[in-house]
Amino acid sequence: MTATRHDTNEIARLRREVRELTDAWRAEGRYVPRSDNWMRGFDPDFSRELATRGLIGITWPREFGGAGQSQRARLAVNEELLRAGAPVAAHWIGDRQIGPAVLRHGTPELQKEVLPGIAAGRSVFCLGMSEPEAGSDLAAVRTTATAVEGGWRVNGRKIWTTGAHKATHAYLLARTARGERKHEGLTEFIVDMDTPGVEVSPIVDLAGEQHFNEMVFTDVFVPGHRVLGTVGNAWRQVTEQLSFERGGPERFLSTYPLFALAVRDAASVGSDDLKAALGRLVARLATLRRLAWKVATSLDGGAAPVVDAATLKYLGNAFENDVIDFARRLCAPDRPELSAAWGQALLASPGFTIRGGAADVLLSIIAKQETRP
């Protein structure tokens, strides 16, 4: 699917709108750009401002609060938000993957219940996927959901749950049956965070910040209509969902605020080695943006580009860490802004290669695709 002249003009208009908004908020001192702000920058007011402009759920049907735009239009909006280091964590997960998953697999009742709140910037989602001792192996989920009258009873633990302490809702992956293969018998749910039995405990990171959490579910009742998709079919559904999670520009633009400062300060350095290294980074960034465009185009066509998304995340994580290494070479007492930004990005960096799937998991996905006849 190729972009029409109308698509191109609309994408350019959206870029201008986001740039004007972020420029205005920065000028008013309403936020400070920094790396990894799509996870750490929680500002409900900013998310609601985006919502009033129709920039959340932008690809969704208008009946659910969306704008009926393309995935490429959404990519343009998110590139500009990440470039500006904007505080978008309050809506990011809901907009990025929960909304699309509900659109694909949710019942009409669930769509009407969940989607408008995300599009309006009211509903904040966290992801109940990873578990203690399971690492990136989602098929090793041990949290159970047992059928009871009117719904399901959930027991188990989730870990590394970003934003759970501020979320209104949780996406939950739980085991509803045990089959011969561990990928079988998994089901997806939407859970209200104020349901009795849901407990959230903080996990403080190296920067002394809390965005990770552990969640414990003790006899948590989930109504039957809160099942997302088909009972027992979650493995196929969550694999599709990970295309939305892994294939976005946040996988290579988390450190862009630092990169922009490094590019600025590198102009005053006469080192040929540094200039060559910068050129390589710029070329890699252009390639990653092109791959992200390919993923968005595939999603517009109704596909689930699992391999392209895994490839983007794997290469994007390497790029982000290399940006930090490049900026380190420019840090100096007379460049305090760059040095501070480098330190903040460095402290955030351990999570880059873990969230959304560790490198060995991504390489396994890529390798399996490449070996198919």
Side-chain angles (χ1 to χ4, degrees):
M1 185 182 295
T2 58
T4 65
R5 183 180 296 275
H6 172 76
D7 292 335
T8 301
N9 291 340
E10 177 62 11
I11 286 171
R13 183 194 69 78
L14 288 168
R15 288 191 185 277
R16 288 194 301 271
E17 181 175 3
V18 176
R19 289 181 183 184
E20 290 168 1
L21 173 62
T22 54
D23 286 348
W25 276 57
R26 285 199 306 273
E28 296 168 7
R30 300 180 72 176
Y31 85 89
V32 176
R34 65 172 186 167
S35 296
D36 219 31
N37 238 11
W38 65 271
M39 286 188 69
R40 298 166 184 271
F42 189 94
D43 188 337
D45 289 338
F46 186 81
S47 292
R48 284 191 287 267
E49 176 65 26
L50 291 174
T52 63
R53 296 165 179 260
L55 297 176
I56 299 178
I58 191 172
T59 65
W60 307 350
R62 296 183 186 278
E63 64 182 292
F64 300 127
Q69 296 268 22
S70 67
Q71 288 288 340
R72 289 163 296 186
R74 181 177 179 275
L75 172 60
V77 168
N78 286 338
E79 277 194 332
E80 294 301 327
L81 290 170
L82 293 165
R83 180 191 66 82
V88 294
H91 71 270
W92 197 264
I93 291 172
D95 177 66
R96 178 183 67 184
Q97 65 196 97
I98 303 305
V102 171
L103 277 171
R104 286 190 178 218
H105 304 294
T107 62
E109 180 184 7
L110 192 62
Q111 291 171 349
K112 291 177 183 178
E113 185 175 346
V114 172
L115 296 176
I118 298 175
R122 297 191 307 269
S123 298
V124 178
F125 268 84
C126 63
L127 295 176
M129 288 189 180
S130 297
E131 296 190 358
E133 302 178 17
S136 295
D137 184 7
L138 289 180
V141 162
R142 292 183 293 182
T143 293
T144 61
T146 305
V148 296
E149 184 177 356
W152 301 83
R153 189 76 62 190
V154 176
N155 287 278
R157 298 165 65 197
K158 298 292 179 178
I159 201 167
W160 310 122
T161 310
T162 299
H165 58 307
K166 297 178 178 179
T168 59
H169 298 78
Y171 160 92
L172 177 69
L173 182 65
R175 187 167 296 284
T176 50
R178 296 205 174 270
E180 294 182 2
R181 300 174 65 247
K182 63 180 182 179
H183 300 82
E184 299 172 347
L186 296 172
T187 303
E188 297 175 298
F189 299 88
I190 302 296
V191 181
D192 290 335
M193 288 296 289
D194 60 359
T195 304
V198 178
E199 297 180 55
V200 177
S201 300
I203 300 175
V204 180
D205 66 13
L206 292 173
E209 298 179 2
Q210 177 194 352
H211 63 277
F212 287 136
N213 300 272
E214 180 179 26
M215 293 196 298
V216 178
F217 297 84
T218 305
D219 291 332
V220 174
F221 176 73
V222 181
H225 76 279
R226 286 297 190 86
V227 170
L228 177 56
T230 304
V231 172
N233 194 43
W235 185 254
R236 181 180 66 83
Q237 294 172 195
V238 77
T239 300
E240 289 183 0
Q241 186 189 139
L242 289 173
S243 298
F244 293 99
E245 181 177 355
R246 292 169 175 161
E250 69 272 30
R251 298 309 177 184
F252 57 91
L253 291 178
S254 290
T255 55
Y256 190 87
L258 173 64
F259 189 46
L261 292 173
V263 170
R264 180 198 68 184
D265 290 354
S268 62
V269 178
S271 168
D272 289 339
D273 287 345
L274 276 175
K275 291 178 180 178
L278 176 58
R280 288 190 291 271
L281 286 173
V282 170
R284 289 168 64 187
L285 177 58
T287 302
L288 289 164
R289 291 187 66 202
R290 182 62 184 174
L291 182 53
W293 180 269
K294 181 182 178 184
V295 169
T297 301
S298 296
L299 291 171
D300 277 333
V306 175
V307 176
D308 282 342
T311 303
L312 179 66
K313 183 184 184 302
Y314 179 76
L315 296 177
N317 292 160
F319 171 80
E320 289 181 322
N321 282 306
D322 287 346
V323 165
I324 294 173
D325 185 63
F326 175 77
R328 176 188 57 78
R329 298 166 64 185
L330 290 166
C331 288
D334 60 343
R335 301 190 186 107
E337 186 180 11
L338 175 67
S339 298
W342 172 80
Q344 186 269 322
L346 180 66
L347 288 172
S349 64
F352 292 175
T353 54
I354 299 173
R355 61 196 184 200
D360 56 346
V361 173
L362 300 174
L363 289 172
S364 175
I365 293 170
I366 297 167
K368 288 177 182 176
Q369 177 67 21
E370 292 299 324
T371 56
R372 290 178 182 174

